[in-house]
């Protein structure tokens, strides 16, 4: 009877010994679930890191596009009121200086810059197709600004008009007409607006909208609960010895 109990105890000890290595550490079979769990956790963390990096990159692109529009429109509006062309009008034998600003030459330059500026702000409030359409509108506004600015750099009709007003005689032309550099600054601003619009058309669909940042707390809570449930399912599958990646 004693021998039978001794043999049974030895058998149980032998079984426990088989599950562990000579140093008391778990065998490869016992450590396999732990390695699988660590690998799954590492893969999940890597996926989250990639998503975070992509989201940050998209926000940087969105910020860059808005800044391009703001800078371009700001340059155009700041130089549109300056003197683009000047000359001299002959009034009763006297020489009177006349000049014309960018807004005098063509008011549409400032109007198109304001349109581009409004479109740049609208980028933040639109998404997908709407944002693409806004980008196309911004690019067209910038192209219009550029064309009008280049034309204004050679325009003399506005100065002639000012000369006719000074002389109070129709058909009087200004002489010694010269042009400033401000039209070319406006042209550069228009190019910046065009680049911003094209950037929105090409990449805008990937960018987050304003609603993503200011999402209601209830929405964020639901998303958090969904992530928690997903993680719980993952760990339960690992406990059952299943492969959660299948």
């Amino acid at each position: 009877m004693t021998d039978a109990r001794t043999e049974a105890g030895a058998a149980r000890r032998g079984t426990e010994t088989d599950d562990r290595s000579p140093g008391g550490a778990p065998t490869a079979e016992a450590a396999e679930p732990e390695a699988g769990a660590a690998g799954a956790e590492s893969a999940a963390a890597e996926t989250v890191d990639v998503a975070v990096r992509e989201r940050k990159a998209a926000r940087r692109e969105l910020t860059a596009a808005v800044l391009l529009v703001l800078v371009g429109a700001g340059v155009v509006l700041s130089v549109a009121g300056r003197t683009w062309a000047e000359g001299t009008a002959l009034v009763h034998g006297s020489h009177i200086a006349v000049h014309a600003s960018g807004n005098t030459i063509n008011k549409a330059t400032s109007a198109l810059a304001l349109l581009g500026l409004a479109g740049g702000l609208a980028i933040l409030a639109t998404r997908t197709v709407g944002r693409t359409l806004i980008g196309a509108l911004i690019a067209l506004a910038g192209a219009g600004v550029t064309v009008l600015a280049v034309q204004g750099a050679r325009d003399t009709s506005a100065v002639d008009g000012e000369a006719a007003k000074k002389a109070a005689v129709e058909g009087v032309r200004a002489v010694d007409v010269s042009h400033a550099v401000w039209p070319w600054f406006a042209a550069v601003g228009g190019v910046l607006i065009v680049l911003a619009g094209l950037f929105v058309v090409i990449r805008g669909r990937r960018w987050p909208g304003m609603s993503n940042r200011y999402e209601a707390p209830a929405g964020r809570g639901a998303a958090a609960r969904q992530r928690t449930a997903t993680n719980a399912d993952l760990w339960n599958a690992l406990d059952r010895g299943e492969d959660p990646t299948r």
Side-chain angles (χ1 to χ4, degrees):
M1 195 67 174
T2 302
D3 294 340
R5 290 175 183 163
T6 302
E7 292 176 358
R12 285 195 301 272
R13 287 192 297 273
T15 303
E16 294 174 356
T17 304
D18 291 341
D19 291 338
R20 293 186 173 272
S21 63
T27 62
E29 294 179 357
E32 184 176 354
E34 297 179 3
E41 184 177 359
S42 176
E46 184 177 355
T47 302
V48 171
D49 290 340
V50 171
V52 170
R53 288 196 297 270
E54 290 179 351
R55 189 171 184 82
K56 288 182 178 180
R59 288 198 178 278
R60 285 194 295 269
E61 291 180 357
L62 172 61
T63 302
V66 174
L67 288 178
L68 273 177
V69 176
L70 294 179
V71 172
V75 170
V76 176
L77 294 174
S78 64
V79 302
R82 296 179 178 271
T83 298
W84 285 20
E86 58 186 0
T88 303
L90 295 176
V91 181
H92 304 297
S94 302
H95 294 269
I96 299 177
V98 292
H99 59 83
S101 67
N103 289 327
T104 302
I105 294 174
N106 200 324
K107 294 181 179 179
T109 305
S110 294
L112 290 174
L114 289 173
L115 178 61
L117 180 61
L121 298 178
I123 295 174
L124 300 172
T126 54
R127 299 184 66 181
T128 60
V129 178
R131 180 174 286 163
T132 301
L133 294 177
I134 292 295
L137 182 62
I138 293 172
L140 290 176
V145 169
T146 304
V147 171
L148 293 178
V150 172
Q151 291 178 350
R154 301 190 302 266
D155 183 88
T156 59
S157 61
V159 182
D160 291 338
E162 293 298 318
K165 289 180 182 179
K166 295 288 186 180
V169 178
E170 292 185 3
V172 174
R173 291 180 174 273
V175 296
D176 300 329
V177 178
S178 61
H179 293 84
V181 298
W182 303 119
W184 300 108
F185 277 87
V188 171
V191 171
L192 292 179
I193 297 174
V194 171
L195 293 177
L198 294 178
F199 193 24
V200 174
V201 171
I202 297 172
R203 301 284 295 178
R205 289 174 177 265
R206 300 165 51 90
W207 303 339
M210 185 184 298
S211 58
N212 294 57
R213 177 176 293 183
Y214 301 103
E215 184 180 1
R220 290 197 298 267
R225 288 193 297 272
Q226 183 178 2
R227 287 194 298 270
T228 302
T230 303
N231 292 336
D233 294 339
L234 176 63
W235 289 113
N236 290 335
L238 291 173
D239 290 339
R240 292 192 299 268
E242 300 175 358
D243 185 359
T245 60
R246 292 182 180 175

